[in-house]
Amino acid sequence: MIKITFPDGSVREYPKGTNAMQIAESISLRLAQDVLAAGINGATSDLLLPINEDAVLKLYKWDDVEGKHTYWHSSAHLLAEAMQTIYPNIKFGIGPAVENGFYYDVDPGEGIIIKDADLPAIEKKMQELAAKKSPIYRTSIAKNNALAMFGTRNETYKTELISELADGTITTYTQGEFTDLCRGPHLPDTSYIKAIKLTAVAGAYWRGDITRPQLTRIYGITFPKKKLLDEYLVLLEEAKKRDHRKLGKEMEIFTFSQNVGQGLPLWLPKGTQLRLKLEEFLKKIQSQYGYQQVITPHIGNKMLYVTSGHYAKYGKDSFQPIHTPEEGEEFMLKPMNCPHHCEIYKAFPRSYKDLPLRLAEFGTVYRYEQSGELHGLTRVRGFTQDDAHIFCEPEQVKGEFIKVMDIIHIIFKALNFKDFEAQVSLRSLENKEKYIGSEENWQAAEKAIIEVCEEKGVKAKIELGEAAFYGPKLDFMVKDALGRRWQLGTIQVDYNLPERFELEYTGADGKKHRPVMIHRAPFGSMERFVAVLIEHTAGKFPLWLTPDQAVIIPVSEKFSKYAETVARELKKQDVRVFIDNRNETIGRKIRDNELKKIPYLLIVGEKEIEKNEISLRKQGEGDAGSMKITTFAELIKKEVETQSIV
């Protein structure tokens, strides 16, 4: 017999070899119908995997992240099986579950192009195959046998992956006529997959390498009930309306130019105002927490990034080095701000009395993202981080970490991000060679983050393999108004860069010591944060932040002078206002400014001049009556004050 411990702490005994599905059935037949995967001693596993020793067991359903991940992973295999049926010469890359659904990268065969118009036929085939209720079973396979099997099928992408795996660790999953190289886990059979929607076709370079073949990526999503799919499609339509690329253009926030270059955003006057207000907001908070602003160059000597380790890790993803007329001299566009801040720290001898030293910068950095990965402001090649680096003594790490968490909470509250969770990102236990630094330093850094979360009462999810290459981190995952998760705000503990840059301070004992470095960026990047903010608010920013708080609309040209008088008076009262003097109808002006999400529309005509008033319309609410100019200015002031956090 084996002992199975459940999440509530209760323990039951079962015969050795019992699987999680059988355990679910022993508890409740309804539970067995709903369960999708199992957590066995912390690892997500197939329901049908025999359990041969005492274990802690969790049963995952649709509402669990692990349940959805397993469901969508199996759906990716169903997509592959359907495409194998339709395109006999197809070759498969990878097909993982993602945040919302799944995708599969495929090479459909010479001369074959899969288009959006082909997706309904693939969906139909998926439905047919799902209805067959084909069992999905796992097989362990020797490396030579795996190479032979996939080699016979001319699966060049799969054989490349297999060649990098260690013998004894390779498994395949089979359903119907389809077998895939896969670690799992998967559903027991295909009938679990009910409502299916393939959402997009895109290009993707094999293994993200621009020099490798470009594959076709098919995106999709599935649900156990049609009602859930219908709700998701409604959400998808709402997401299209909120798309920051669409709203950013309509609201004149940003633009792109092919002449400037892909992935290099141009901030328009209104967008610049928005961004400067965000910077001003954060600078005010930072000054209260003892930060000092610095400015560093947009380029740096290549050896700076060799020393930091960024060149070895990210060199291929950076813009190529800049060669100067000086022989052998190379510079790089700045991929990170932290090496520059290390050099500022080194500019003077430091004492324990100088610590913690908090250096902050809105620093623009550059990464060479592939053109196929660029996406509005969320994935760009040049972006500005609200970066800061805290240099402190080891015993100060926890206190500084907690202060950064407090700053992040202030920002989320001010911008109405109410639903968020924390994620502790640690090293991969299997691939420690991906990271720099000693085991001792990593353990100290990881321990500090976990203990801070416990002390603050933050329930943080542990994610292995998501750490930065130089240290573990705490990431904040925010849910927007549509329930989508975004990573905003990060704090990283780093014992390694101070080692690499040989940073020192003189301690109270008169001896030299190594500081600890905390990296933090509450916004992450200004570009991505603004994109998320646009989509979260649908462009209706808080009044304190919005670039234009009001627009004055003269009924006709003869009322333009009065409009200018109103604008002058409101600007004296610090109201951000402009005049819409276009030669358009009053109805058109109102519609256009509503579309631009201007919070208040001030209509002025003969009646308003006589009474020295304005007629007020509020965004999305219509006519709000007439009032004196000073009364409106007071209204704006009070509304901003109620939103003020700092």
Side-chain angles (χ1 to χ4, degrees):
M1 302 293 285
I2 55 172
K3 290 180 180 179
I4 299 298
T5 303
F6 295 94
D8 64 359
S10 62
V11 179
R12 293 192 189 188
E13 289 194 346
Y14 293 90
K16 183 179 179 180
T18 301
N19 61 46
M21 177 60 87
Q22 291 167 330
I23 293 172
E25 288 169 346
S26 75
I27 299 169
S28 153
L29 289 177
R30 179 58 190 270
L31 174 63
Q33 289 173 352
D34 292 342
V35 72
L36 301 173
I40 301 174
N41 293 329
T44 309
S45 303
D46 301 329
L47 289 171
L48 304 183
L49 188 73
I51 305 172
N52 294 314
E53 58 187 14
D54 294 350
V56 176
L57 177 70
K58 289 184 180 179
L59 295 170
Y60 297 126
K61 298 190 284 187
W62 175 255
D63 289 336
D64 298 304
V65 171
E66 296 85 351
K68 281 191 178 76
H69 190 279
T70 301
Y71 193 92
W72 286 332
H73 195 176
S74 296
S75 300
H77 279 220
L78 185 67
L79 166 62
E81 185 184 7
M83 288 194 290
Q84 179 179 270
T85 307
I86 298 170
Y87 307 102
N89 296 319
I90 196 167
K91 296 178 186 177
F92 295 102
I94 58 169
V98 289
E99 182 73 28
N100 282 300
F102 56 91
Y103 69 79
Y104 218 116
D105 288 344
V106 300
D107 178 347
E110 194 173 344
I112 297 175
I113 300 172
I114 299 175
K115 305 178 292 294
D116 287 331
D118 300 316
L119 298 184
I122 302 172
E123 274 178 29
K124 185 179 178 185
K125 179 57 68 175
M126 288 176 72
Q127 293 282 9
E128 290 172 12
L129 294 169
K132 288 184 176 182
K133 200 176 180 178
S134 301
I136 304 174
Y137 58 90
R138 171 189 177 110
T139 305
S140 293
I141 186 170
K143 184 172 183 176
N144 287 342
N145 291 342
L147 286 169
M149 179 173 73
F150 286 96
T152 301
R153 289 160 34 181
N154 200 27
E155 288 278 11
T156 52
Y157 305 107
K158 295 293 183 186
T159 53
E160 181 180 324
L161 294 174
I162 294 166
S163 67
E164 297 170 6
L165 298 174
D167 205 355
T169 64
I170 300 170
T171 55
T172 63
Y173 278 82
T174 299
Q175 62 196 57
E177 299 298 314
F178 178 72
T179 297
D180 203 355
L181 171 73
C182 188
R183 286 181 296 190
H186 283 283
L187 301 169
D189 66 64
T190 59
S191 68
Y192 284 67
I193 302 168
K194 306 291 185 186
I196 300 169
K197 181 66 179 176
L198 298 182
T199 54
V201 180
Y205 291 106
W206 172 234
R207 308 191 86 168
D209 186 343
I210 197 169
T211 64
R212 308 294 300 277
Q214 188 174 49
L215 305 182
T216 301
R217 178 171 291 180
I218 313 289
Y219 287 96
I221 196 164
T222 52
F223 294 90
K225 295 177 183 176
K226 185 178 182 300
K227 179 176 177 252
L228 293 173
L229 174 59
D230 292 341
E231 290 170 355
Y232 174 78
L233 293 176
V234 169
L235 204 64
L236 213 57
E237 284 305 308
E238 180 61 26
K240 287 179 184 175
K241 293 176 193 171
R242 290 170 176 254
D243 190 324
H244 76 278
R245 295 168 297 176
K246 172 180 174 288
L247 291 180
K249 183 177 181 180
E250 292 172 354
M251 297 173 67
E252 300 174 11
I253 302 290
F254 65 93
T255 189
F256 287 93
S257 163
Q258 286 296 328
N259 290 332
V260 173
Q262 284 187 302
L264 299 171
L266 300 170
W267 292 86
L268 302 175
K270 293 183 193 301
T272 300
Q273 235 184 85
L274 171 70
R275 178 169 152 172
L276 290 175
K277 288 296 288 183
L278 283 169
E279 290 185 11
E280 178 189 310
F281 167 63
L282 183 54
K283 282 177 181 176
K284 194 172 180 182
I285 298 171
Q286 288 177 166
S287 70
Q288 294 170 7
Y289 279 82
Y291 285 82
Q292 300 176 66
Q293 289 293 136
V294 297
I295 298 173
T296 61
H298 289 251
I299 65 172
N301 193 291
K302 177 183 165 183
M303 290 311 298
L304 180 71
Y305 310 112
V306 171
T307 300
S308 69
H310 288 101
Y311 186 76
K313 292 290 178 181
Y314 300 118
K316 64 180 181 181
D317 298 320
S318 300
F319 284 89
Q320 290 304 299
I322 303 162
H323 297 274
T324 72
E326 187 76 31
E327 189 176 344
E329 187 177 55
E330 291 180 299
F331 283 80
M332 290 185 68
L333 287 172
K334 179 170 62 173
M336 288 280 190
N337 296 304
C338 37
H340 294 247
H341 290 192
C342 286
E343 291 297 323
I344 289 176
Y345 180 94
K346 286 181 73 174
F348 301 98
R350 304 290 180 178
S351 157
Y352 72 98
K353 293 179 182 179
D354 301 321
L355 305 184
L357 177 67
R358 308 177 188 98
L359 303 178
E361 176 180 18
F362 288 90
T364 304
V365 297
Y366 302 89
R367 315 266 176 83
Y368 189 78
E369 301 286 355
Q370 295 171 25
S371 58
E373 299 292 327
L374 298 174
H375 183 84
L377 289 182
T378 61
R379 199 74 180 265
V380 289
R381 287 174 172 168
F383 55 94
T384 301
Q385 293 178 308
D386 59 321
D387 228 343
H389 297 93
I390 303 163
F391 301 89
C392 61
E393 297 180 84
E395 57 269 27
Q396 295 173 329
V397 168
K398 282 189 186 179
E400 291 301 308
F401 204 97
I402 286 169
K403 287 174 186 174
V404 177
M405 290 173 74
D406 291 341
I407 290 173
I408 289 172
H409 281 96
I410 290 169
I411 290 168
F412 287 174
K413 186 177 180 183
L415 295 166
N416 204 28
F417 286 112
K418 296 176 181 176
D419 191 354
F420 59 88
E421 59 192 37
Q423 174 180 302
V424 177
S425 299
L426 306 179
R427 286 174 301 172
S428 165
L429 298 178
E430 298 168 357
N431 299 309
K432 290 186 178 179
E433 68 279 357
K434 287 166 49 179
Y435 310 95
I436 62 173
S438 70
E439 182 68 22
E440 180 186 4
N441 284 346
W442 271 91
Q443 287 181 4
E446 291 177 339
K447 184 171 179 280
I449 292 178
I450 291 168
E451 286 181 356
V452 164
C453 289
E454 290 171 353
E455 288 175 20
K456 287 284 285 183
V458 173
K459 292 182 180 177
K461 183 181 178 185
I462 305 290
E463 283 288 345
L464 297 175
E466 295 297 317
F469 77 92
Y470 48 76
K473 56 182 179 167
L474 180 66
D475 293 324
F476 287 87
M477 317 303 290
V478 172
K479 275 191 178 179
D480 68 10
L482 298 183
R484 298 169 301 180
R485 291 171 80 247
W486 301 88
Q487 191 261 305
L488 293 179
T490 185
I491 320 172
Q492 303 163 4
V493 178
D494 181 3
Y495 283 77
N496 293 311
L497 285 190
E499 289 275 1
R500 296 177 80 94
F501 280 95
E502 299 179 344
L503 305 185
E504 293 179 339
Y505 67 92
T506 303
D509 58 2
K511 296 178 181 177
K512 296 295 184 184
H513 298 272
R514 194 77 76 203
V516 182
M517 190 173 175
I518 297 174
H519 307 241
R520 48 112 281 196
F523 291 147
S525 84
M526 302 305 293
E527 287 72 13
R528 192 166 182 275
F529 191 85
V530 167
V532 174
L533 191 60
I534 290 171
E535 298 198 8
H536 177 58
T537 62
K540 297 177 182 177
F541 304 124
L543 194 63
W544 67 267
L545 178 62
T546 192
D548 294 310
Q549 294 170 326
V551 55
I552 303 166
I553 303 176
V555 172
S556 70
E557 192 178 343
K558 68 179 180 178
F559 304 112
S560 293
K561 272 209 159 147
Y562 180 64
E564 289 169 10
T565 301
V566 173
R568 258 193 319 272
E569 188 61 38
L570 289 174
K571 285 177 181 177
K572 284 179 190 174
Q573 303 290 325
D574 292 327
V575 178
R576 296 190 292 278
V577 64
F578 71 100
I579 301 169
D580 187 345
N581 255 330
R582 291 176 302 152
N583 187 24
E584 296 284 358
T585 64
I586 187 78
R588 175 65 185 268
K589 289 181 183 181
I590 289 171
R591 280 194 304 275
D592 288 352
N593 285 292
E594 288 267 357
L595 196 65
K596 290 178 182 177
K597 316 294 182 187
I598 308 298
Y600 290 101
L601 281 63
L602 315 181
I603 316 299
V604 295
E606 194 152 349
K607 184 177 68 173
E608 286 74 28
I609 290 178
E610 288 172 5
K611 296 182 178 181
N612 196 29
E613 293 182 340
I614 50 95
S615 287
L616 183 66
R617 290 180 65 91
K618 190 170 183 181
Q619 165 72 230
E621 295 180 17
D623 189 13
S626 297
M627 63 178 66
K628 296 292 183 185
I629 301 168
T630 53
T631 305
F632 174 69
E634 195 61 32
L635 181 152
I636 292 287
K637 185 180 177 183
K638 284 180 180 174
E639 188 173 337
V640 167
E641 282 175 357
T642 62
Q643 297 173 350
S644 180
I645 304 294
V646 182

